[in-house]
Amino acid sequence: MTEECEATNSLLIHSCSRASLKMRLVSLRSAQGNFNDDGLVLFSPKGEEDASAVYVWWEIFMFILIAILGGLVGSAYVWVNEHITMWRKKVWKGKHPMWRVFEACGVVSLIMTALYFLPVAFDCVEEPHFDDASHHTGFHGLNTVRYTCAEGFYNQMATLSLTPQETTILQLYSRETAGFFSIR
Amino acid sequence: MSATRREYTNKLILKHKLNYIYSVLITFTAAYFVCAVTAYGLAVPAGLFIPSMMIGASMGRLVGELLYLWQPDVVDPGLYALVGASAVLGGE
């Protein structure tokens, strides 16, 4: 029991430190060009020419918070995967391999059905119309999905769950689109 | 952020501010976590990298959106999504 606890603590510390380091590297990389004369990263109020690469001082604490949360979520993800895989091995041991195919078909159908009908629980939101066509990285970069909504409206959940994974990640990363996948 | 876009965003947030019952991002993160965990290990080719990025990005974006309610002039949730994705990848 003690050994298990020690191993878990070690894993958590390891995960958090790695996550913090990665987060810090990303921040530094994003902040390129914002170094002051002393070679330190400059954290200054936004509103300058390239506001996306400038941070305020307290944001670093939020980044650390996300790094800790993300590290724990990542560890939990691996831990759950490991246990499910071991359970699967026990269940399918000695059975015909065809059962694995049936399992794959069943689980994939279930997941696809759930993800397809999940957006039903969410309301339609009016699509914004911006006159400033110069902002290519803003909402213009998003690939909205109407789902069952009328013309000029879109479903936020469908926009996330019914688009290819890479597109969804890009949409989550998109700048200047605060509020579009928000509290509803 | 342009004035037009900020006006729209503020309008959108104010419109839904009282309706705190559920959130698109919380539901999406939880649902995607469960789906990814269930699907991994099936007898089909699948990986952990992109699902991890998805979970982390949506989690980070959620934190960013919450912070945006507090500091709309400073916070850009897209950046927080990037940090979240790298954090979850680091945790694996």
Side-chain angles (χ1 to χ4, degrees):
Chain A
M1 187 69 182
T2 317
E3 280 177 8
E4 272 184 22
C5 285
E6 279 175 5
T8 312
N9 286 339
S10 158
L11 180 70
L12 285 176
I13 291 164
H14 184 63
S15 305
C16 290
S17 58
R18 277 175 61 189
S20 304
L21 183 65
K22 273 202 178 183
M23 174 277 301
R24 187 66 189 145
L25 285 174
V26 168
S27 303
L28 286 174
R29 195 168 171 79
S30 302
Q32 271 179 355
N34 288 289
F35 289 85
N36 62 15
D37 295 338
D38 301 324
L40 298 170
V41 178
L42 186 65
F43 288 92
S44 61
K46 288 192 175 180
E48 294 173 14
E49 280 183 15
D50 184 12
S52 64
V54 186
Y55 311 103
V56 290
W57 65 270
W58 55 263
E59 280 191 294
I60 192 71
F61 297 108
M62 299 303 151
F63 292 159
I64 291 170
L65 174 75
I66 295 175
I68 292 169
L69 279 175
L72 291 172
V73 169
S75 302
Y77 186 56
V78 171
W79 187 84
V80 175
N81 270 329
E82 215 175 278
H83 282 73
I84 289 182
T85 307
M86 285 193 290
W87 175 77
R88 273 201 176 109
K89 270 188 179 176
K90 276 184 195 169
V91 170
W92 298 122
K93 198 177 178 184
K95 291 188 179 166
H96 196 276
M98 204 61 187
W99 281 107
R100 297 298 309 268
V101 179
F102 292 143
E103 185 207 14
C105 294
V107 170
V108 169
S109 309
L110 204 68
I111 287 173
M112 289 316 295
T113 310
L115 283 181
Y116 185 78
F117 287 106
L118 189 62
V120 173
F122 294 86
D123 296 331
C124 296
V125 178
E126 194 179 351
E127 252 187 74
H129 299 285
F130 300 118
D131 298 328
D132 51 339
S134 58
H135 285 79
H136 297 294
T137 54
F139 197 81
H140 299 281
L142 296 187
N143 186 15
T144 55
V145 176
R146 272 177 57 196
Y147 197 55
T148 56
C149 302
E151 187 82 38
F153 289 81
Y154 76 105
N155 189 308
Q156 290 187 330
M157 180 55 84
T159 302
L160 287 177
S161 63
L162 299 181
T163 46
Q165 289 178 323
E166 292 79 8
T167 314
T168 307
I169 291 172
L170 280 178
Q171 295 188 132
L172 288 168
Y173 284 174
S174 61
R175 297 294 184 92
E176 300 182 358
T177 54
F180 296 113
F181 303 110
S182 183
I183 308 294
R184 293 284 325 282
Chain B
M1 186 182 283
S2 68
T4 323
R5 184 170 288 120
R6 184 172 295 164
E7 275 169 22
Y8 175 82
T9 307
N10 291 342
K11 201 174 119 189
L12 192 78
I13 288 172
L14 283 174
K15 191 178 168 187
H16 299 292
K17 208 167 186 177
L18 298 175
N19 192 2
Y20 255 68
I21 303 167
Y22 60 92
S23 152
V24 171
L25 286 169
I26 290 174
T27 316
F28 180 74
T29 310
Y32 203 85
F33 186 91
V34 173
C35 291
V37 156
T38 315
Y40 186 74
L42 290 176
V44 287
L48 282 172
F49 190 74
I50 296 289
S52 303
M53 282 183 81
M54 287 272 275
I55 293 164
S58 50
M59 191 197 72
R61 178 103 193 180
L62 176 65
V63 176
E65 294 283 359
L66 289 171
L67 285 172
Y68 182 82
L69 291 175
W70 176 47
Q71 289 282 343
D73 292 331
V74 176
V75 174
D76 192 340
L79 173 69
Y80 284 76
L82 179 67
V83 174
S86 61
V88 172
L89 284 174
E92 291 189 350

